[in-house]
Amino acid sequence: MSQQKDYSQAMSYYEKALALNPANKEIWLGIAELLVSIEQYDAAIVAYKQALEGVEDPNLEVLFALANLHFQVGEYQSALEIFLLIKDKNLPMPN
């Protein structure tokens, strides 16, 4: 089975899971990570934002991944804002 077909099948499973539970943050995180792996960075940013929506105490690794994606696509101001949010929370940067 080709790698592209594996990604398509994985996305299909995520979409089915999302249809059953659209507010599930873990599904959104899985989608975001899958989209990053196939270099669909803009869509991955949207998925990471969905995973963070309504979360009072966001996961540092998710914030860091989102900031890095913004940086990677040239959205430096957005990346900076997220990095500053991490700094303001006095959270250590992941290795």
Side-chain angles (χ1 to χ4, degrees):
M1 187 180 269
S2 74
Q3 192 172 20
Q4 183 61 36
K5 189 171 181 180
D6 289 342
Y7 289 130
S8 295
Q9 186 173 11
M11 186 58 78
S12 174
Y13 290 136
Y14 278 126
E15 288 170 350
K16 288 175 184 175
L18 203 56
L20 296 173
N21 190 355
N24 186 304
K25 304 303 181 189
E26 294 299 319
I27 297 170
W28 283 110
L29 286 175
I31 291 171
E33 291 169 4
L34 176 63
L35 290 166
V36 168
S37 69
I38 59 173
E39 299 179 358
Q40 296 292 319
Y41 301 127
D42 290 329
I45 287 171
V46 172
Y48 274 124
K49 287 180 178 180
Q50 285 288 346
L52 291 168
E53 186 174 303
V55 175
E56 288 182 33
D57 189 23
N59 180 294
L60 173 64
E61 291 180 16
V62 175
L63 284 174
F64 194 76
L66 180 58
N68 279 328
L69 273 177
H70 277 294
F71 188 84
Q72 196 164 355
V73 299
E75 297 172 353
Y76 304 117
Q77 185 62 40
S78 295
L80 178 61
E81 289 170 9
I82 297 168
F83 284 129
L84 290 174
L85 174 67
I86 294 168
K87 180 182 172 283
D88 289 344
K89 289 182 169 274
N90 292 318
L91 299 172
M93 296 297 248
N95 295 334

